[in-house]
Amino acid sequence: MEYGKHQAPARYESGDGCLTTLVRIPVRIVVLVLVLPVRMAWDALVAGARAADRILLRPLGRALAWLFEVLAVIPARWLYAQVLTPLGHGLRWLAMAVFVWPWVALWRYVVVPGVRYGIVVPVTWVYAHVLTPTGHGLLWIRRALLDPAGRGIATAVKWLLTVVLVMPVVLLWRYVLKPLGLTVAWLVEHLIVLPLVWTYRELLTPLGHGIAWLLDLLVRGIGAGCQGLWAGVRWLVTVLLVIPVVWVYRRILAPVGREIAAAFGVAWRVAGFVSRAVGRALAWHLVGAPVAWAYRTVCTPVGHFLRDAVFAPAGRAALAVGRTARLTLRTARETVRQARRDAWRALVGGTREPEPREPGSVLARTLGSTTTVPSAAPEPEISLRKEKSVQQG
């Protein structure tokens, strides 16, 4: 029971037949032989194009851009800023002075006052003092005289038209035309429509149903015969043509096509590996090895010589100069600070301040001796004799 759990799963077996297995290796070999030169030529073209782009096209493009900038853009910019812009401003001012300002002045100081005081003001006065009172009078005449007379005339004409035209027409329609139309409609309905409806319902409809039933039986019989004939023809075409073609496509053409496509993919990848290996070998033997030899044989000794003979002494000299400069600046600062204290004390008076001692500068001294001993106990701060302290180090 435990042994079955640790057994490896069965390998998946593909559904490829013997023909696929026999065709696969020769097809891949032939395709590799055909594809390898194409892939190597393609990789060589790609590498050449990249090298040409990096070495020739980009510097050439930068040089052309710089040349265009120097020869065209900068002169054009200077010409626009120093010549064309002032010239345009002058031409604009001249055009305004010649074509715009005279017309503006003519419109503002001649046309507008002339129209205002020659036309608008008189017309306004005539409208306000002549036309308006005249219109009010005509309106009063219309409301007081014409409107009542018009209403009376309209009422009389309406009554006359009603008596002369409308009432005879209404009487003719009500007592002559309407009874005559009703009589004619009743006769048409009982003498023509009802017989036609009975004939359609009792005779034509059953006759049409019978004819339709007969035609349906005839069409069904013909359709059943044609359907059987079509089924036989379809079975023959399927057995004699479709099944062999499907078998040939499924068992021969599809596997061969898949293998050829897979062979092209594998051959293209393998050719890429081979082409890259050949390219790396050529690049190493043509570029890498000479550069490495030149680096080891020429650049390294020269660099060591420059480091030992030039850069190291220069660095040490620079460190010494910097150290000396820092000490000099420190001494100068201390001197200036002390001179300032002395000058201030000379001006305002006061006791002399003890000199500040840097941290860690307390030196141990032996009693009655001027020699500094690192391991000896420190002397008291107040001493009766003036002694010298030598800086440790």
Side-chain angles (χ1 to χ4, degrees), residues 7-43:
Q7 288 182 348
R11 186 181 298 274
Y12 175 75
E13 297 180 357
S14 62
D16 298 337
C18 298
L19 180 61
T20 304
T21 306
L22 292 175
V23 168
R24 179 176 299 164
I25 301 302
V27 168
R28 291 191 177 183
I29 293 172
V30 173
V31 171
L32 178 61
V33 173
L34 295 176
V35 169
L36 181 59
V38 178
R39 181 57 187 266
M40 293 186 68
W42 175 259
D43 291 339

Side-chain angles (χ1 to χ4, degrees), residues 43-59:
D43 291 339
L45 290 176
V46 171
R50 290 178 180 174
D53 179 61
R54 293 179 181 178
I55 298 173
L56 181 61
L57 296 179
R58 292 183 183 177

Side-chain angles (χ1 to χ4, degrees), residues 180-197:
L180 182 61
L182 293 177
T183 304
V184 171
W186 184 84
L187 292 175
V188 169
E189 181 182 359
H190 287 81
L191 296 179
I192 298 175
V193 176
L194 291 180
L196 290 177
V197 170

